[in-house]
Amino acid sequence: MGLFEDVVVNARTAVNVVGKKASQIVDVSKLRISAADLNNEISKRFEAIGRTVYEAKKTGNDTSDLIAESVTAIDDLYEQLDAVNDQLSAARAKLVCKNCGQENTQGSVYCSKCGQKLSND
């Protein structure tokens, strides 16, 4: 009976490990989808600014307030995208260089691209 109990314990351990890994994969997938959605929204906002500028030039209207609001909205979307990318890097156990954006392996002290000292916070 001892061998059977060992097999059951090992099977339960394996199931727990597989479950945790599957959960991590789902989390990473959700973050990637969120990043793609944010990138898509940023592109739409840039396109809208282009249309606004075109229409303003064509009609002679002043749309500087509307453009300023759009720029603020795009900046907010970029901040959200940075936060999602930071979460994605953390989920993949990577450190992102604040200087150049390069992903480095966890435990790296210096960036592999630019040589900047990496912070672990």
Side-chain angles (χ1 to χ4, degrees):
M1 210 57 155
L3 180 61
F4 180 72
E5 289 172 354
D6 288 344
V7 169
V8 170
V9 169
N10 287 337
R12 285 183 184 162
T13 303
V15 167
N16 288 338
V17 169
V18 169
K20 287 179 185 177
K21 188 65 175 175
S23 175
Q24 289 172 345
I25 290 171
V26 168
D27 290 344
V28 168
S29 295
K30 286 180 182 178
L31 288 171
R32 285 182 179 160
I33 290 169
S34 180
D37 289 344
L38 286 168
N39 277 318
N40 189 26
E41 183 63 27
I42 289 169
S43 294
K44 287 179 183 177
R45 298 286 177 120
F46 276 124
E47 186 178 329
I49 287 176
R51 271 195 224 105
T52 302
V53 169
Y54 173 78
E55 290 296 324
K57 185 69 172 175
K58 192 173 178 180
T59 61
N61 293 334
D62 180 26
T63 57
S64 57
D65 291 340
L66 184 59
I67 291 173
E69 289 174 17
S70 295
V71 168
T72 302
I74 290 171
D75 288 344
D76 290 342
L77 288 169
Y78 272 127
E79 287 178 17
Q80 292 174 28
L81 182 60
D82 287 343
V84 169
N85 285 333
D86 288 345
Q87 291 175 347
L88 192 55
S89 293
R92 292 186 302 199
K94 301 283 184 181
L95 291 174
V96 178
C97 177
K98 304 259 188 241
N99 187 47
C100 69
Q102 175 71 23
E103 285 189 353
N104 296 277
T105 57
Q106 196 75 334
S108 297
V109 178
Y110 296 98
C111 176
S112 62
K113 184 175 180 182
C114 71
Q116 178 77 25
K117 185 166 176 62
L118 300 171
S119 62
N120 292 325
D121 41 275

